[in-house]
Amino acid sequence: MFNVNLAGPSGERQPLLARKELLPAGFGGDKPEVEHEETEPAYRHPGLEWLSRVFLIPQRVILAIMGFLAIMNAYTMRISLSIAITEMVNKTHGGGEEDDGVCPIDSSANPDDFTGGEFDWDEELQGIILSSFYWGYVITHIPGGILAEKFGGKWTLSLGILSTAIFTLITPWAVELGGSTALIVIRVLMGLGEGTTFPALSALMATWIPAKERSKLGSLVFGGGQVGTILGNLLSGVLLHNIDGWSSVFYFFGGMGILWFVIFSLLCYSDPESHPFISEKEKAYLKRELGTLERDRTLPPTPWRYILTSVPMMALVCAQIGHDWGFFIMVTDLPKYMSDVLRFSIKDNGLYSSLPYLVMWIVSLSTGVLSDWLITSGRMTITFGRKIFTTIASIGPACFIVGASYAGCEKAVVVMLFTFAMGLMGTFYPGMKVNPLDLSPNYAGTLMAITNGIGAITGIIAPYVVGVMTPNHALDEWRIVFWISFAIFNVTNLVYILWASGEVQPWNTPHLMNKSVEAGDSHDERDNTALPKKSLQSQDAIKQ
């Protein structure tokens, strides 16, 4: 069960995550250190081997695609209410003059598109309804990250999406039964289910995706947010325009969520070692790049004190707050701005509200590839890359959304400026969005839970603030909202520029911290041979 395995003076890399912790001298005998033997390869049923030849793309790419679809479905279910609520609520404002702060209705538009629905909910109540999703969302982030690290990300992710899909399906029934109160309760429950999404995906990506592919595949996965917003806005507009009533939106997207759950459960696994039909070629590649094919089930408890006092971690949280404030303002309230201020019809609202996210998705994918190339070619360090892309994603959107508020009722100009703003926000994904995987591959799920969970608090605050500040849904009221967003973008980005890092942090391996094995420490040759090396992910990330 045990064998002696001393690190030689050549400094040959030893995959930390692939092995059990080295035992200090005197703990298990007189030898300097004793190491557990690597685990046996997972048994593969002979009948499944042919499946490894069926798939034309690697299993890690399939996982990334399914992760992309997971976030896409999560976002369609999350934001579908933002369009539907414009048809659920009775629109009581009667002003049609531009000098009243509301743009005039086009003469060719159908007046019925601007009457709304049967519910008399004021702007403040609508803000509470739209923010209630995030009340539940922030609660399950940290538990989701811990569960994903301990038991694997597959079921932590999939069961969360499944529960969200079920609650989406029963939304129309709940609203008819209990009105706004029932809708708030359903949205909170949806948030509880969806809160595990990003932490579980981060844990899966840390287990499956090598550092050299992190920006590219990470941008693909997280790009599901933009595509989900595109489809959520666009298809909601089409469904509401062509089908009487607003219930069809929730039935459609809830059904798609359940379909994703079935496919994901059949195709994806928590780690390469447990995957029954991954190819031997891909297993060898992942073994070489990651140093392991399975989760390290012997990691010490989460080093909360080190994480919560880490300066790069706090800088990352600040950047997440800035990103989420701007993003949630746009995702949650842009359809209301298009409807209440610019007076777009429901069909046009869905189209023009989705256009900025299409550009954002394209930018996130292209800059993800660009970031990987710049880092792997040595033209840019990981730290500088994360900072520069995050800065572009902060300053650009801040300027363009304020500019849109001064464009008045020039609808084409407003849509163009919002599109530029959201397009540049796509560089957040090769920037700070993948930064948790840089700081700690071992605890990436927990880090994503902390950053995304704290950032999601802005999802509670932002819609409510918008509702309170825009009681007359007038242009000058919205302009103040956009100036506040401008300030938040720039202040949080400044913090990130000053203190962010792309280096693996010492608390990634808390059980080794006291042994001084992090880069920069000096030891004599004998001490170096007696200490385990960093994981391959950690070494590669630091080299880059």
Side-chain angles (χ1 to χ4, degrees):
M1 183 68 183
F2 300 95
N3 71 329
V4 177
N5 191 351
L6 302 180
S10 64
E12 182 180 356
R13 300 195 299 184
Q14 300 293 323
L16 170 66
L17 298 180
R19 304 173 184 272
K20 305 292 184 180
E21 181 184 347
L22 295 173
L23 303 179
F27 185 82
D30 295 331
K31 292 184 173 55
E33 60 267 341
V34 181
E35 187 175 18
H36 289 250
E37 193 176 54
E38 295 188 20
T39 58
E40 291 292 328
Y43 171 73
R44 177 184 295 186
H45 192 282
L48 295 176
E49 292 203 9
W50 65 273
L51 284 173
S52 65
R53 298 188 294 270
V54 171
F55 292 95
L56 301 178
I57 57 177
Q59 292 299 324
R60 66 187 183 280
V61 178
I62 292 175
L63 177 81
I65 293 172
M66 293 305 298
F68 161 83
L69 293 174
I71 296 181
M72 185 194 78
N73 276 283
Y75 268 75
T76 58
M77 293 184 287
R78 181 192 307 187
I79 65 97
S80 57
L81 180 64
S82 299
I83 290 284
I85 201 170
T86 65
E87 296 302 296
M88 297 168 68
V89 175
N90 182 21
K91 299 175 183 178
T92 57
H93 62 74
E97 301 299 327
E98 184 175 349
D99 57 5
D100 289 334
V102 177
C103 299
I105 299 174
D106 290 340
S107 57
S108 60
N110 182 0
D112 291 339
D113 285 338
F114 302 92
T115 58
E118 69 269 30
F119 299 106
D120 291 319
W121 299 335
D122 61 24
E123 291 295 322
E124 184 174 349
L125 178 56
Q126 291 179 55
I128 293 173
I129 291 171
L130 291 172
S131 70
S132 59
F133 172 90
Y134 299 97
W135 303 354
Y137 187 66
V138 300
I139 293 173
T140 50
H141 265 70
I142 291 179
I146 294 172
L147 287 172
E149 289 166 355
K150 186 172 182 63
F151 301 108
K154 175 177 180 175
W155 296 112
T156 310
L157 171 65
S158 59
L159 292 175
I161 296 290
L162 176 64
S163 65
T164 305
I166 293 172
F167 290 126
T168 301
L169 281 171
I170 66 173
T171 296
W173 169 80
V175 174
E176 294 297 332
L177 189 67
S180 61
T181 302
L183 179 56
I184 290 171
V185 172
I186 285 291
R187 295 290 291 180
V188 171
L189 293 173
M190 288 175 62
L192 288 170
E194 201 169 305
T196 63
T197 301
F198 282 97
L201 274 172
S202 290
L204 284 170
M205 291 168 63
T207 309
W208 276 92
I209 299 178
K212 65 175 64 174
E213 300 177 2
R214 191 171 295 155
S215 295
K216 177 175 57 183
L217 293 182
S219 294
L220 170 63
V221 171
F222 295 128
Q226 292 96 64
V227 176
T229 307
I230 294 166
L231 294 178
N233 285 317
L234 186 61
L235 295 180
S236 292
V238 172
L239 290 169
L240 292 168
H241 179 74
N242 292 286
I243 300 175
D244 289 337
W246 44 266
S247 301
S248 58
V249 170
F250 301 99
Y251 295 142
F252 178 80
F253 292 123
M256 294 298 293
I258 291 176
L259 177 62
W260 172 89
F261 169 80
V262 173
I263 297 174
F264 178 83
S265 299
L266 295 174
L267 292 183
C268 297
Y269 291 81
S270 290
D271 52 63
E273 185 64 38
S274 65
H275 202 298
F277 42 88
I278 186 174
S279 69
E280 292 299 327
K281 179 180 178 181
E282 185 177 9
K283 286 182 71 172
Y285 170 75
L286 293 176
K287 179 74 171 179
R288 183 174 69 251
E289 295 295 326
L290 296 173
T292 180
L293 295 178
E294 62 181 347
R295 306 184 316 279
D296 183 0
R297 294 175 172 85
T298 65
L299 278 176
T302 303
W304 291 107
R305 179 167 64 89
Y306 295 110
I307 291 174
L308 297 178
T309 56
S310 168
V311 173
M313 181 63 186
M314 294 303 101
L316 176 59
V317 169
C318 281
Q320 184 76 43
I321 290 172
H323 167 267
D324 283 0
W325 178 275
F327 190 74
F328 290 145
I329 286 285
M330 299 297 286
V331 167
T332 306
D333 292 298
L334 182 59
K336 284 173 59 61
Y337 185 84
M338 296 280 196
S339 174
D340 296 343
V341 177
L342 298 180
R343 311 296 290 277
F344 280 118
S345 67
I346 184 60
K347 185 178 180 180
D348 290 341
N349 192 347
L351 174 63
Y352 294 124
S353 293
S354 65
L355 183 61
Y357 303 99
L358 175 61
V359 177
M360 185 181 181
W361 178 50
I362 295 171
V363 170
S364 68
L365 291 180
S366 58
T367 55
V369 174
L370 175 63
S371 174
D372 275 343
W373 177 74
L374 290 171
I375 291 171
T376 56
S377 64
R379 291 173 170 83
M380 181 183 289
T381 65
I382 292 179
T383 298
F384 183 77
R386 302 302 183 233
K387 289 182 178 181
I388 191 66
F389 284 113
T390 300
T391 299
I392 293 170
S394 298
I395 296 177
C399 295
F400 282 117
I401 63 174
V402 169
S405 70
Y406 286 95
C409 293
E410 295 293 332
K411 297 182 179 180
V413 176
V414 172
V415 171
M416 180 183 69
L417 291 173
F418 278 138
T419 301
F420 286 156
M422 296 306 296
L424 290 175
M425 201 181 287
T427 62
F428 261 122
Y429 291 86
M432 50 74 59
K433 203 67 177 178
V434 296
N435 201 194
L437 280 74
D438 301 323
L439 299 180
S440 178
N442 286 341
Y443 299 101
T446 296
L447 265 60
M448 179 61 79
I450 295 171
T451 55
N452 216 56
I454 294 176
I457 295 174
T458 63
I460 298 173
I461 300 172
Y464 180 74
V465 168
V466 171
V468 171
M469 295 185 67
T470 59
N472 302 308
H473 28 75
L475 184 57
D476 56 346
E477 296 171 341
W478 277 94
R479 186 173 295 139
I480 297 173
V481 171
F482 293 143
W483 271 113
I484 293 173
S485 300
F486 178 93
I488 293 174
F489 266 128
N490 285 286
V491 171
T492 55
N493 181 65
L494 179 61
V495 173
Y496 191 77
I497 290 174
L498 292 175
W499 291 297
S501 174
E503 302 273 334
V504 175
Q505 298 300 295
W507 38 264
N508 179 56
T509 52
H511 51 307
L512 303 179
M513 288 181 65
N514 294 330
K515 298 180 182 179
S516 302
V517 296
E518 294 301 316
D521 291 339
S522 60
H523 300 281
D524 61 32
E525 190 68 27
R526 192 166 65 90
D527 286 340
N528 275 333
T529 63
L531 292 174
K533 307 298 180 185
K534 298 160 76 74
S535 69
L536 298 189
Q537 284 194 85
S538 301
Q539 293 181 40
D540 290 342
I542 291 176
K543 281 184 178 181
Q544 294 169 1

